[in-house]
Amino acid sequence: MFRALADGSRRAMVARLVDGPASVSQLAEPFGMALPTVVQHLRALEEAGIVSSEKVGRVRTYQLVPDALVPANAWIVAHRRPQERRLDRLGDYLTNHHPTQEN
């Protein structure tokens, strides 16, 4: 999932899909890239379970998979807490050992 989201174009496509389903050509519009390139990006997102697609006639439409990003968010939250505790300890240390100087 993180590999799929590492690319800025893919993150932008996910952000667009927050507003609702979109076709490949709609998703390609803001990027100025060839449709096969957009399809490759969408395939990576689909393989990661972030989006799903449906083909009706000649039009393939993509939409976000509900709660697909929940596992990634859980991982981020679990790894953020130790960092926050370290920063809190650093802040306490700086406050107690390096008082601010007044001019």
Side-chain angles (χ1 to χ4, degrees), residues 31-65:
F31 299 105
M33 59 178 80
L35 289 180
T37 304
V38 173
V39 169
Q40 285 178 337
H41 285 299
L42 291 167
R43 188 174 302 129
L45 292 170
E46 194 164 21
E47 288 172 359
I50 299 168
V51 302
S52 63
S53 67
E54 179 181 17
K55 188 172 184 179
V56 177
R58 295 180 62 182
V59 178
R60 182 167 294 278
T61 302
Y62 285 83
Q63 56 276 330
L64 288 178
V65 172

Side-chain angles (χ1 to χ4, degrees), residues 79 81-91:
H79 288 82
R81 288 185 185 130
Q83 296 300 324
E84 288 175 346
R85 285 193 292 272
R86 287 186 197 118
L87 288 172
D88 289 344
R89 286 196 309 263
L90 175 61

